[in-house]
Amino acid sequence: YAKVEQSTLPFKGIFTNLNTKTGYFVFLTKEKREISGYVSNLIKENMISFNFTSVYNVSVTQSIDITLDNKNKIDFILESCLVSEN
C-alpha cells in the first residue's frame, strides 16, 4: 500500500544541470535548496532554450509516495519555467 501526496511548488533560481536527451534537471533555488527531477513532456522541447546564467521562476510538482514501512519516495516534475524579470 502506498499513499501519494502531490503539491505544486513555486521556486526562483538557476539551473545547474540540464540533460535535454533524458529531460533530467537540477535546479538551485535562491534559498540554496537543490531540486532534481524531470521536465514534463509539455515543456521538454523548450529545454534547449534554458541556460545556466538566467534566473528562472519555475513551478514544480512534488509527489511523495508514502509507504507502510515509511520509506518515502519524493519525485519532482518541472511543469513551467519562465525567465525572471528581476
Side-chain angles (χ1 to χ4, degrees), residues 11-18 25-37 51-52 54-58 60 78:
F11 295 105
K12 186 175 190 174
I14 59 170
F15 288 103
T16 59
N17 186 334
L18 291 167
F25 75 93
V26 179
F27 190 80
L28 183 64
T29 70
K30 299 218 29 122
E31 297 78 29
K32 304 297 183 208
R33 177 179 175 189
E34 190 173 80
I35 298 166
S36 60
N51 63 59
F52 299 112
S54 296
V55 176
Y56 291 92
N57 290 316
V58 299
V60 178
L78 182 68

Side-chain angles (χ1 to χ4, degrees), residues 20-50:
T20 56
K21 189 172 186 175
T22 64
Y24 183 78
F25 75 93
V26 179
F27 190 80
L28 183 64
T29 70
K30 299 218 29 122
E31 297 78 29
K32 304 297 183 208
R33 177 179 175 189
E34 190 173 80
I35 298 166
S36 60
Y38 289 91
V39 176
S40 73
N41 289 334
L42 292 174
I43 64 170
K44 189 174 179 181
E45 64 188 34
N46 295 329
M47 276 185 80
I48 58 170
S49 68
F50 301 170

